Amino acid sequence: MAVQAQRGRISMTRLVPIDPDVPAAAMLETLQHLVAGVPTSWTRAEPGALAVVTGVALPTLNGVCVASLDADAEMVADLLDQVAATGLPHCLQVRPDAAKRVADLAVARGMIREQLPLMVLEDSSQLGATRATGGLVIRELGPAEAHLHARAAAAGFEAPVEPFLQLMTPAGLELPGVHCYLGEVDGQPVTTGFGVTLGSYVGIFNIATPPAQRRRGYGAAVTARAVADGLAAGATWAWLQASELGYPVYERLGFHTAEVWSCWLSETATDS
């Protein structure tokens, strides 16, 4: 594989396991960082919880994330009310033990529960071999090329392109620590994704490969590139939220499940 613009080296293996509290807090921090690149967005922070509205009509891009195991149900309800008032499809993402405290709240609102693994990578030893995929060229996109990621991500998620164009703006790619990638074969986009490096960690997002291009290692390769660049920039571990489709890919890269969150989707989300 001809992978362009590789920077630095992969960091040494991390030997101390990460407490699940750490990636949970990292997720809230990263969400607050990313929404600054979306003009229609706002956030509301409370101890251990964060309400996020991007204005993009996708359920997981508006909602409340609860990272504290001792979250107050009334506080969560108030944040969720503020999000629901926008009329946008939305979600409630909650850690396993905290989910018991707010399950009745979600059920009363007619929200539908899914499971969403929060995965971490502490041992980088499996990344190098995974990137050796013949014919694939991965390049980092500049801010003016944000639309290329949006279109490739929409194709990979088999979704309309407009929400991705609204979410992935040039301003978003200009944010500190954000690096966005496009994988091409013979000049044609086949995969995409981006990483956000903040301090000791790199978060991985929007790994997407169109159906016709799957099972060729492209998604694994762009994930490995995003992680490797984050580690080269000073991160010591990585995290992501995994879909059912992506889960085995990330396992092969060395990610493991820190904990499985409950993701409750609004009725408007399931109807949209």
Side-chain angles (χ1 to χ4, degrees):
M1 175 183 88
V3 177
Q4 297 176 338
Q6 294 290 346
R7 300 197 304 271
R9 60 180 179 83
I10 297 174
S11 71
M12 296 295 291
T13 297
R14 183 187 178 104
L15 300 178
V16 180
I18 295 176
D19 187 286
D21 287 345
V22 177
M27 184 166 72
L28 266 60
E29 181 182 35
T30 306
L31 290 175
Q32 285 185 294
H33 183 71
L34 285 175
V35 296
V38 184
T40 54
S41 69
W42 55 261
T43 63
R44 303 281 188 274
E46 294 289 348
L50 178 70
V52 177
V53 169
T54 65
V56 180
L58 294 174
T60 53
L61 297 179
N62 309 286
V64 178
C65 292
V66 181
S68 171
L69 299 180
D70 301 318
D72 179 77
E74 291 186 5
M75 176 266 289
V76 174
D78 179 63
L79 289 177
L80 200 55
D81 284 341
Q82 294 180 53
V83 174
T86 65
L88 291 163
H90 56 277
C91 68
L92 173 62
Q93 296 189 38
V94 193
R95 293 182 67 186
D97 290 340
K100 300 173 184 177
R101 298 172 175 265
V102 300
D104 291 343
L105 166 67
V107 170
R109 293 167 183 248
M111 302 180 82
I112 308 300
R113 181 176 178 265
E114 297 183 352
Q115 291 187 315
L116 195 59
L118 178 62
M119 305 184 77
V120 298
L121 182 143
E122 301 152 289
D123 180 349
S124 61
S125 62
Q126 298 182 54
L127 293 181
T130 307
R131 289 180 290 161
T133 303
L136 179 66
V137 177
I138 297 176
R139 64 185 181 92
E140 184 171 346
L141 298 176
E145 298 177 298
H147 65 98
L148 297 179
H149 168 73
R151 296 184 187 282
F157 289 116
E158 300 179 83
V161 69
E162 288 78 11
F164 289 93
L165 290 170
Q166 185 180 354
L167 179 70
M168 297 306 300
T169 65
L173 267 62
E174 290 175 343
L175 291 171
V178 174
H179 298 277
C180 189
Y181 306 92
L182 186 69
E184 298 170 308
V185 174
D186 296 329
Q188 297 301 310
V190 296
T191 192
T192 194
F194 73 93
V196 184
T197 303
L198 296 175
S200 66
Y201 65 82
V202 53
I204 307 300
F205 297 87
N206 273 15
I207 302 298
T209 303
Q213 305 295 340
R214 291 173 187 165
R215 301 186 182 279
R216 304 181 189 185
Y218 298 153
V222 76
T223 303
R225 168 67 184 275
V227 172
D229 281 359
L231 297 179
T236 57
W237 60 281
W239 69 271
L240 54 78
Q241 288 180 298
S243 65
E244 183 177 354
L245 183 65
Y247 189 89
V249 175
Y250 305 134
E251 273 198 320
R252 289 194 292 272
L253 286 170
F255 282 88
H256 65 89
T257 301
E259 55 187 7
V260 179
W261 287 44
S262 291
C263 181
W264 298 84
L265 302 177
S266 66
E267 277 194 306
T268 51
T270 58
D271 293 341
S272 61

